[in-house]
Amino acid sequence: MRLDVALIGRHPSLSRRKARDVIEKGQVSVDGETVVAPGTLVADGADVTWDPHKRARPRARLSLPLLYADASIVIVDKPAGLLTVPSAPGRTAEDTALARVEDYARHLAQGRGFVGVVHRIDRGTSGAVTFALSHAARQALRALFREHRIERRYAVLVEGETRGDRGVVDLPIRDAYAGGKRGVARGDEPSRPALTRWTVVERLPGATLLDVDLGTGRQHQIRVHLAHIGHPVFGDTKYSREGIRHLSVSARRPLLHARLLAFTHPIIGQAVRAESPLPEDFRRALESLRTGPRRRR
């Protein structure tokens, strides 16, 4: 359950507002680690402790929704259209999720906050992104990603109706770009292994909502793999094939949403689970498909 709800369960006299307040002050710990995001999901049986005498930490507001935060890790909910990191080295003036988290960390640490990039998602992709607040956390988190010990699940709306209810795409992705795009490697092209697992969540007229689980994390992996099997991501102008776009619903970006990150905290050993709700544009597209007239293909 949410941390603020779990805290109220242990201290029924707390109001929801007061519970959020003491959590944000840094007075609440989960299994010994201070957690400052009220919406953090905590496991049944977790040791949730409130110390009302603990000195409140400096207040800092982040201009992105916090999905999880403690002394060493921050997971934010990135909107589509916002870069995760600058588009090129030195472009520090760009508005990015990294810059916003850096500003948040500077306020917390009174000017000396460290923020380390752990992974990234495309500009047009929305959802959960993790940053480290210490060198040790960054090194440990990157090891988890490298060893594929982090559960990463995406909600993806694709063109066309899949034949099966689930599938696996196990095809290497080439290292080089061709025409500004990645692609499945051919022959002896330099490449890296890539594994994508997908499951049907809902069938819609001319489209399918998938739950996608990444076995690896290559750039553009989901978009490349799904386009390769004939089901490009809805709204993906880079990898869509001409002639299969939906006739009644438009999307201004690929409808690809990083909905879940789950892993064992590398510092304290606690289970971390951050879930991002579907954004409004994704929900609107689904609703249009559900209520619109069915078209013969």
Side-chain angles (χ1 to χ4, degrees), residues 9 20 33 80 108-109 121 139 147 201 242 254 276 284 293-294:
R20 289 197 300 266
E33 177 80 0
L108 285 181
I121 58 178
Q139 184 177 8
E147 296 160 9
V201 175
E242 187 176 357
S276 169
R284 280 201 309 266
R294 290 186 173 270

Side-chain angles (χ1 to χ4, degrees), residues 69-143:
D70 62 29
S72 52
I73 296 174
V74 167
I75 304 178
V76 300
D77 198 355
K78 186 190 83 66
L82 180 69
L83 289 164
T84 303
V85 298
S87 57
R91 294 188 178 179
T92 56
E94 288 182 322
D95 184 19
T96 64
L98 173 61
R100 297 190 191 192
V101 176
E102 285 176 333
D103 184 61
Y104 168 81
R106 278 194 295 269
H107 281 88
L108 285 181
Q110 301 179 342
R112 297 188 300 276
F114 168 85
V115 177
V117 177
V118 176
H119 68 115
R120 63 195 71 186
I121 58 178
D122 294 338
R123 183 175 195 159
T125 301
S126 53
V129 183
T130 308
F131 294 93
L133 300 183
S134 72
H135 291 280
R138 180 175 184 267
Q139 184 177 8
L141 283 166
R142 291 187 70 140

Side-chain angles (χ1 to χ4, degrees), residues 225-240:
H225 272 175
L226 294 179
H228 184 81
I229 64 171
H231 297 289
V233 177
F234 210 102
D236 189 351
T237 58
K238 185 183 289 288
Y239 293 104
S240 290

Side-chain angles (χ1 to χ4, degrees), residues 57-213:
R57 71 183 193 131
R59 288 294 183 131
R61 295 292 181 184
L62 180 61
S63 59
L64 293 171
L66 273 174
L67 300 176
Y68 177 87
D70 62 29
S72 52
I73 296 174
V74 167
I75 304 178
V76 300
D77 198 355
K78 186 190 83 66
L82 180 69
L83 289 164
T84 303
V85 298
S87 57
R91 294 188 178 179
T92 56
E94 288 182 322
D95 184 19
T96 64
L98 173 61
R100 297 190 191 192
V101 176
E102 285 176 333
D103 184 61
Y104 168 81
R106 278 194 295 269
H107 281 88
L108 285 181
Q110 301 179 342
R112 297 188 300 276
F114 168 85
V115 177
V117 177
V118 176
H119 68 115
R120 63 195 71 186
I121 58 178
D122 294 338
R123 183 175 195 159
T125 301
S126 53
V129 183
T130 308
F131 294 93
L133 300 183
S134 72
H135 291 280
R138 180 175 184 267
Q139 184 177 8
L141 283 166
R142 291 187 70 140
L144 290 182
F145 273 89
R146 188 167 56 249
E147 296 160 9
H148 313 305
R149 291 194 286 139
I150 291 186
E151 183 181 1
R152 304 171 68 182
R153 305 193 81 91
Y154 288 74
V156 189
L157 185 62
V158 298
E159 293 278 3
E161 299 176 27
T162 63
R163 291 184 179 180
D165 290 335
R166 57 182 50 83
V168 176
V169 186
D170 186 0
L171 295 170
I173 293 176
R174 65 172 178 251
D175 293 338
Y177 282 88
K181 300 192 292 185
R182 294 273 188 186
V184 170
R186 297 179 179 178
D188 58 355
E189 285 183 310
S191 63
R192 296 186 182 186
L195 177 67
T196 303
R197 294 177 286 262
W198 57 267
T199 304
V200 172
V201 175
E202 183 177 358
R203 295 188 180 278
L204 299 152
T208 310
L209 177 62
L210 302 179
D211 173 62
V212 172
D213 173 23

Side-chain angles (χ1 to χ4, degrees), residues 38-70:
T40 296
L41 298 178
V42 298
D44 290 341
D47 180 17
V48 177
T49 304
W50 171 35
D51 180 1
H53 304 295
K54 184 177 180 179
R55 182 177 179 179
R57 71 183 193 131
R59 288 294 183 131
R61 295 292 181 184
L62 180 61
S63 59
L64 293 171
L66 273 174
L67 300 176
Y68 177 87
D70 62 29

